[in-house]
Amino acid sequence: MKKGLFITFEGLDKVGKSTQVENLVKHLESKNLKVTLVREPGSTEISEKIRNILLDKENAGKISPLTELLLYNAARAQLVDDIIRPALERGEIVISDRFYDSTTAYQGYGRGLDIKLIHSVNMEATGNLVPDLTILMSVGPLNETINNHERFQSSSSDDRLERESLEFRERVRAGFLEIARQEADRFLVVDAEDTIENVAAKIAERVDQLLQTK
Ligand code: TMP
């Protein structure tokens, strides 16, 4: 039986997610609450090895979308079994920097894999473990201005990749919002472009409410 509280953070890369994860850990520890912090993919010996395969630059563009789906979920299954579920059973608060919504957003909305297939693999890998709260750090549409800016910074031979990457990230960004819209009760969507302090305060307020109703 799950007794603890499971909180996940989601959003595009480099939106300040890690800073807010750290802020929430400090907030909870200041209340003398026991927090277990993990990140995906990774956090167990096996999952970190899988992370190395997934994020190794040498493998960029070589891993098929289906392989990505299965590898992210292989890393996740090990993490849930080894760390997340035992910590929740001990009554702890578990915070995960990314969880299965990243797979739905990146491999589903981003790479175009079937969302129903992703949902069933996600659920199989986690044993139907649904977060109590998911904080989505959201940014506005990634428009041509950013594209021009990025192209300005990169060499011309990178143009096609830069554009592909921008379009991919825009699909992921919109995908996250769609997931949050479909499961509005589970999500807190915060504006990642707001100040660090304001974002931290909104997250702390929501988590405190959740702790009171637990
Ligand atoms: P991060 O540790 O910097 O968040 O990097 C993890 C990268 O992996 C990030 O680009 C998002 C990506 N990712 C997926 O594509 N699918 C997933 O299921 C997860 C957990 C991460």
Side-chain angles (χ1 to χ4, degrees):
M1 256 303 281
K2 178 164 108 53
K3 292 185 298 198
L5 195 67
F6 186 30
I7 301 170
T8 59
F9 278 77
E10 299 286 2
L12 287 177
D13 302 45
K14 304 192 183 95
V15 292
K17 206 160 34 67
S18 310
T19 306
Q20 293 302 337
V21 168
E22 274 172 37
N23 282 338
L24 181 60
V25 172
K26 281 189 204 140
H27 174 74
L28 292 168
E29 287 181 346
S30 75
K31 294 170 175 271
N32 285 327
L33 292 165
K34 175 93 177 90
V35 180
T36 296
L37 175 62
V38 293
R39 68 159 180 187
E40 278 217 331
S43 294
T44 76
E45 198 186 329
I46 299 294
S47 311
E48 288 291 332
K49 285 181 179 163
I50 299 171
R51 178 186 179 91
N52 289 339
I53 299 173
L54 282 162
L55 303 185
D56 185 344
K57 287 210 170 62
E58 287 213 346
N59 294 339
K62 294 185 197 159
I63 306 180
S64 79
L66 184 59
T67 306
E68 267 190 358
L69 166 66
L70 297 172
L71 284 177
Y72 279 111
N73 269 299
R76 180 168 301 135
Q78 192 74 33
L79 175 60
V80 169
D81 263 15
D82 283 2
I83 299 180
I84 298 179
R85 206 175 282 283
L88 291 174
E89 281 167 5
R90 291 193 300 270
E92 292 170 16
I93 299 171
V94 177
I95 299 179
S96 188
D97 186 341
R98 298 194 180 283
F99 199 54
Y100 62 61
D101 296 308
S102 277
T103 310
T104 312
Y106 284 85
Q107 281 65 53
Y109 290 98
R111 300 258 180 254
L113 285 181
D114 181 62
I115 300 292
K116 278 196 189 128
L117 167 72
I118 293 194
H119 179 73
S120 65
V121 178
N122 286 346
M123 288 302 121
E124 199 61 43
T126 59
N128 299 307
L129 178 64
V130 178
D132 297 292
L133 172 66
T134 299
I135 295 146
L136 173 60
M137 306 263 310
S138 183
V139 289
L142 307 175
N143 56 27
E144 285 297 319
T145 317
I146 299 175
N147 193 23
N148 289 336
H149 176 65
E150 285 186 356
R151 286 172 68 172
F152 180 66
Q153 288 182 331
S154 62
S155 71
S156 58
S157 63
D158 284 343
D159 273 10
R160 195 189 56 80
L161 276 181
E162 285 293 339
R163 170 169 284 279
E164 186 178 274
S165 136
L166 181 88
E167 286 164 359
F168 172 74
R169 280 179 290 141
E170 174 55 24
R171 288 196 299 276
V172 174
R173 185 199 70 83
F176 271 128
L177 283 175
E178 177 59 21
I179 300 165
R181 196 187 60 76
Q182 287 177 11
E183 285 183 71
D185 288 350
R186 174 165 66 90
F187 274 84
L188 171 68
V189 181
V190 290
D191 177 4
E193 284 152 313
D194 199 351
T195 65
I196 292 177
E197 294 75 22
N198 282 351
V199 173
K202 281 183 187 144
I203 294 171
E205 188 188 0
R206 178 67 177 264
V207 171
D208 288 347
Q209 278 172 6
L210 198 59
L211 285 168
Q212 275 165 15
T213 57
K214 258 298 213 189

